[in-house]
């Protein structure tokens, strides 16, 4: 089965659907994303991009509220904190400061843009 995400005019994922892989097959029996996207658009309207729950396509499995970033061709989860930055290698927002690497637990403090020890 193939998964497709509907994206709105702001590139925000609205929904994810599953279609039969046969819909993606061209005359040479090769899968073509464009055929699936066209099928989804004709059937449901809107704009569609293929996604993969194995993260084989576009780095992350799309979910409602995620955004599609065309410059890195990836689905990106929502930004958790204003100070966090997009890591284009993993297509996720990360803290501007690395969390301490020890056995303690930490919580991000947006006011101080640092990690606070959880007591």
């Amino acid at each position: 089965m193939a998964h497709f995400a509907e994206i709105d005019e702001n590139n925000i994922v609205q929904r994810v659907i599953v279609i039969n892989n046969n819909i993606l097959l061209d005359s040479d029996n090769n899968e073509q994303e464009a055929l699936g996207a066209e099928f989804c658009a004709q059937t449901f309207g809107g704009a569609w991009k293929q996604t993969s729950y194995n993260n084989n396509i576009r780095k992350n499995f799309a979910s409602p509220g995620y955004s599609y970033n065309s410059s890195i061709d990836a689905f990106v989860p929502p930004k958790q904190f204003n100070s966090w930055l997009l890591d284009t290698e993993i297509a996720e927002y990360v803290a501007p400061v690395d969390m301490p690497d020890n056995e303690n637990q930490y919580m991000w403090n947006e006011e101080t843009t640092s990690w606070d020890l959880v007591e």
Side-chain angles (χ1 to χ4, degrees):
M1 302 309 272
H3 297 82
F4 279 80
E6 180 182 18
I7 55 174
D8 69 10
E9 63 278 355
N10 297 312
N11 287 331
I12 304 300
V13 175
Q14 300 302 298
R15 60 181 163 164
V16 178
I17 63 168
V18 179
I19 63 174
N20 193 302
N21 283 342
N22 293 338
I23 294 169
L24 279 69
L25 298 179
D26 64 15
S27 58
D28 294 326
N29 247 9
N30 296 314
E31 286 191 6
Q32 301 292 328
E33 176 184 357
L35 294 173
E38 180 181 344
F39 169 82
C40 292
Q42 289 178 353
T43 305
F44 306 107
W48 297 83
K49 295 280 184 189
Q50 190 169 7
T51 187
S52 166
Y53 63 85
N54 292 326
N55 300 332
N56 295 331
I57 301 171
R58 300 196 167 94
K59 301 195 184 197
N60 296 302
F61 183 71
S63 292
Y66 277 44
S67 60
Y68 172 69
N69 185 315
S70 60
S71 49
I72 60 172
D73 191 28
F75 290 106
V76 179
K79 191 174 190 178
Q80 293 181 332
F81 300 99
N82 286 334
S83 65
W84 286 29
L85 308 167
L86 180 62
D87 181 331
T88 57
E89 292 297 313
I90 61 171
E92 291 183 14
Y93 288 99
V94 296
V97 176
D98 290 338
M99 184 171 60
D101 187 18
N102 56 43
E103 295 182 18
N104 294 323
Q105 292 185 351
Y106 294 88
M107 178 182 289
W108 181 252
N109 183 329
E110 183 65 9
E111 288 182 25
T112 63
T113 61
S114 63
W115 294 100
D116 289 345
L117 179 64
V118 175
E119 306 270 345

